[in-house]
Amino acid sequence: MPDPLSENTTYLDLHVHSADGSDDAGGTVEGYLKWITARRAHGLRIDGFVVTEHRRFDPDRDYSALAARYGAIVLRGVEVETDIGHVLVFGVTPEFLSRFDLTSISLPSEEVFRAAWETGGVAVGAHAGRPRIGCVEHVDERGVTLEGVHVLEALNGGSNDYENGRAFDLADARGLRAVGGSDAHFVSALGGCLTRFDRAIHTVDDLVAALRDPAAAYTPIYLEDTAEGVEPRPRPSGTPVLQPFSSGQGTLGGDVIEYDRSVVGREVLVGSFEVTRELIASFCQALDERNPLYTDEAFAAQGPHGGIIAPPGIIQAVRMGPAPNPGVKFGSSTMMAGQLHEYYLPVRPGDTIEGFAQVREVYEKTGRSGRMVFVVRRTRFANQHGEDVAALQTTSVHREMRPVGEAE
Amino acid sequence: MDDALTQRYFEEVAVGDEFEEWQQPTSPHVAAFTAISGALAGDGRFHDHAAARAAGLEKAIVPGPMSASMLTRLVTDWMGPLGRVLSLDVSYRRPAYHDDRLRCVALVTDVNGDGDYEGTGEGAVHLDVTMESERGDKPVQGTAIVVMPRRG
């Protein structure tokens, strides 16, 4: 295993989200470290990563002891949201934190870049080629000057080749430096894109010093290209092969969102339904599901449950009565942004399932469709014996969506 | 589908293992799924290209819970009848459209070594689950935790 502490080259993934601090991430820091071990066993080179949670920096967190157990480096930064898209900040100091409310989704970008520099850190334009949340579009459409910007994340694991190509094009045109980060939200994405530094990086101070130094040698790189003897892939092209679909949605800032805070945390009965063989059969038909545990009485009778059970997904497919509503006054459209399903006990034909729902949280952020307000609801499902059989946590997103083809 | 009959055991699983299923939800599949739920059935974005475009989408989309169910099925088919899903945690990141050919793929990211899941003798396995479309998008990304029996 390469020891990052003794090398003069360091491969760091500069953009990683974890379940410790990012609402939409499933990867844990230890999970990422185990994945590094597994990737190294395949001859790939990754020395560590920087945890950059969305809109949040906890000064007391420290992953260095955990990282050392895996022979890796784990540093910390933050990903904030500004009027020219998302921005990674490395070298986050108490003074930097005192100047901004990190939870804001439309921080003034010039001030963020300047404050990061003045407080001894550095800010980097994140996933620069991504619509809305990367700076390329803001430069193209609004003539943003990129005052105080030195570095762009041109190679981002969550962007497609076209988006990354546009970011490289902008970096070239403006004489900006480029770095790479995976933007991993899940373990297996870690390190997909990273940055090779031709020097040892052990600490955030080392990282910041490299990024602030115009003469420092560093370059974005794909993880597969870190294997010995591999010819690096050419940088992606900013010329689209197929015109990507974009309906040009959304704005980034605006007024404070109003909603009814009194419903948050109050659990209410939202309905019940009986699990029938017919319901199970229709669910299986919709999914071409032929698992005999759900479809074959004779097989299921011999199986672990002594009879047919319902497929795990069936509870979240059946809608109950309306869930508690915080009445968010924003957006023309509501979509589902994510779901967490938890399964505790099997559900059988003849069971009567009651759902108890509550609103857990309301918050906002920005994405490729502009400003978004999220509502997190959790429903607990209990059977006729009073046992909890499953839970479903749903995050829905309110957005402003215009019909396709209508001008901005 | 014989796959779901084949039992897989914890000892046979290693970090980095990858498995996949292809799905192609057609409009009738989506209609059958949403018929189970009154609320989804009434939402034009899941059934009608014009209604989807009016809502800012390229065309009619596959409901999130249906995509989640496809990923659940991928995992249950792989595990076999004695495996159990503990949790599935997914983000719906981009739309999946009717008739898209969707690759549902799972990657083993952790196995709990000598661990014994809650004294049952089973082993817990952590998976990353992803749905990819042929346009190169990843409409759904997430994680699953399952427990699997041990041999012997």
Side-chain angles (χ1 to χ4, degrees):
Chain A
M1 188 199 305
D3 175 5
L5 304 182
S6 68
E7 301 269 332
N8 288 321
T9 313
T10 310
Y11 290 81
L12 275 188
D13 181 344
L14 298 185
H15 187 167
V16 175
H17 298 278
S18 88
D20 285 345
S22 290
D23 55 302
D24 53 352
T28 63
V29 171
E30 184 152 23
Y32 287 128
L33 287 163
K34 288 182 179 178
W35 191 248
I36 286 180
T37 306
R39 294 289 85 194
R40 286 173 174 170
H42 282 85
L44 300 172
R45 176 76 190 272
I46 171 165
D47 299 319
F49 56 94
V50 188
V51 178
T52 51
E53 310 291 17
H54 294 291
R55 308 176 304 283
R56 180 164 158 171
F57 184 87
D58 177 356
D60 298 327
R61 240 179 231 290
D62 183 2
Y63 297 115
S64 52
L66 180 62
R69 288 215 297 277
Y70 290 87
I73 303 160
V74 180
L75 308 177
R76 296 174 53 244
V78 65
E79 182 175 15
V80 298
E81 304 186 9
T82 78
D83 51 17
I84 62 161
H86 295 186
V87 173
L88 300 169
V89 181
F90 305 110
V92 178
T93 60
E95 197 194 334
F96 179 85
L97 292 173
S98 74
R99 295 200 198 176
F100 303 102
D101 169 13
L102 295 193
T103 63
S104 163
I105 58 160
S106 52
L107 292 171
S109 59
E110 275 188 37
E111 285 173 42
V112 168
F113 279 89
R114 187 168 55 236
W117 195 267
E118 285 172 3
T119 57
V122 62
V124 172
H127 37 61
R130 212 89 71 80
R132 300 282 139 178
I133 54 172
C135 63
V136 170
E137 197 176 88
H138 297 271
V139 170
D140 286 354
E141 290 181 3
R142 298 194 287 118
V144 168
T145 62
L146 298 183
E147 178 81 33
V149 179
H150 300 98
V151 187
L152 296 182
E153 184 190 32
L155 193 63
N156 172 278
S159 300
N160 59 37
D161 284 352
Y162 165 67
E163 290 163 351
N164 282 329
R166 294 208 311 167
F168 275 105
D169 287 350
L170 179 65
D172 287 351
R174 298 294 177 94
L176 305 174
R177 303 296 302 272
V179 294
S182 69
D183 207 350
H185 288 68
F186 302 98
V187 166
S188 55
L190 183 88
C193 299
L194 64 175
T195 306
R196 188 187 72 219
F197 293 89
D198 292 345
R199 60 165 79 180
I201 307 273
H202 305 156
T203 64
V204 163
D205 289 345
D206 295 342
L207 171 64
V208 168
L211 294 175
R212 285 173 69 108
D213 177 0
Y218 57 85
T219 183
I221 183 170
Y222 293 103
L223 181 60
E224 309 91 83
D225 297 347
T226 66
E228 209 141 328
V230 169
E231 191 64 33
R233 264 195 270 173
R235 83 158 175 78
S237 161
T239 308
V241 179
L242 289 167
Q243 191 60 41
F245 173 77
S246 168
S247 57
Q249 305 286 347
T251 54
L252 292 183
D255 298 333
V256 172
I257 301 300
E258 286 176 33
Y259 67 94
D260 176 6
R261 286 172 166 73
S262 72
V263 304
V264 176
R266 268 200 309 200
E267 190 182 77
V268 295
L269 175 64
V270 289
S272 70
F273 68 97
E274 193 190 335
V275 180
T276 60
R277 283 185 163 70
E278 293 71 37
L279 180 66
I280 294 172
S282 353
F283 184 86
C284 290
Q285 192 188 344
L287 289 161
D288 288 335
E289 172 74 81
R290 287 181 287 265
N291 190 320
L293 285 179
Y294 322 135
T295 58
D296 183 338
E297 289 279 4
F299 176 89
Q302 307 295 317
H305 307 290
I308 278 189
I309 58 166
I314 202 164
I315 285 184
Q316 36 88 5
V318 177
R319 272 297 163 93
M320 297 270 172
N325 187 358
V328 169
K329 291 186 177 53
F330 176 76
S332 57
S333 162
T334 310
M335 300 269 280
M336 214 175 270
Q339 288 190 316
L340 166 64
H341 306 176
E342 294 173 358
Y343 300 107
Y344 312 128
L345 290 172
V347 172
R348 302 162 191 281
D351 281 354
T352 299
I353 305 294
E354 285 187 324
F356 300 88
Q358 59 171 297
V359 174
R360 295 286 287 252
E361 200 185 352
V362 178
Y363 63 95
E364 59 177 319
K365 61 182 181 182
T366 54
R368 55 193 301 112
S369 53
R371 188 181 196 184
M372 306 184 284
V373 178
F374 291 83
V375 178
V376 182
R377 292 183 177 86
R378 187 175 175 89
T379 307
R380 174 174 68 83
F381 298 96
N383 64 18
Q384 66 277 20
H385 311 297
E387 301 162 319
D388 283 354
V389 295
L392 167 65
Q393 189 161 301
T394 296
T395 304
S396 49
V397 53
H398 295 248
R399 296 185 294 187
E400 202 56 59
M401 298 288 272
R402 278 183 310 281
V404 172
E406 204 168 279
E408 200 163 333
Chain B
M1 168 82 47
D2 294 324
D3 285 350
L5 288 169
T6 312
Q7 186 57 50
R8 188 178 303 274
Y9 292 90
F10 180 72
E11 292 87 339
E12 300 159 7
V13 178
V15 172
D17 286 357
E18 186 175 330
F19 52 97
E20 65 172 38
E21 277 180 3
W22 284 84
Q23 297 265 0
Q24 190 169 22
T26 61
S27 298
H29 282 112
V30 173
F33 186 89
T34 59
I36 299 168
S37 146
L40 292 178
D43 191 327
R45 293 176 295 182
F46 302 130
H47 304 288
D48 175 7
H49 295 316
R53 290 180 72 80
L57 297 158
E58 187 177 352
K59 57 183 203 170
I61 59 171
V62 177
M66 186 165 182
S67 297
S69 295
M70 293 180 207
L71 290 169
T72 305
R73 177 187 149 178
L74 163 72
V75 172
T76 52
D77 282 352
W78 172 75
M79 287 193 298
L82 298 175
R84 290 184 293 134
V85 180
L86 294 185
S87 66
L88 177 78
D89 189 355
V90 290
S91 290
Y92 303 114
R93 306 180 79 84
R94 300 193 187 191
Y97 302 102
H98 289 205
D99 302 322
D100 273 358
R101 267 177 49 79
L102 300 166
R103 178 177 179 248
C104 300
V105 56
L107 206 52
V108 176
T109 59
D110 198 8
V111 291
N112 70 340
D114 304 326
D116 181 6
Y117 179 73
E118 291 188 349
T120 58
E122 299 162 307
V125 175
H126 293 245
L127 302 159
D128 276 2
V129 290
T130 308
M131 176 183 280
E132 299 171 352
S133 74
E134 286 185 309
R135 6 175 138 213
D137 285 343
K138 292 180 177 170
V140 188
Q141 271 189 287
T143 59
I145 304 175
V146 302
V147 288
M148 300 174 68
R150 292 171 192 274
R151 264 187 205 290

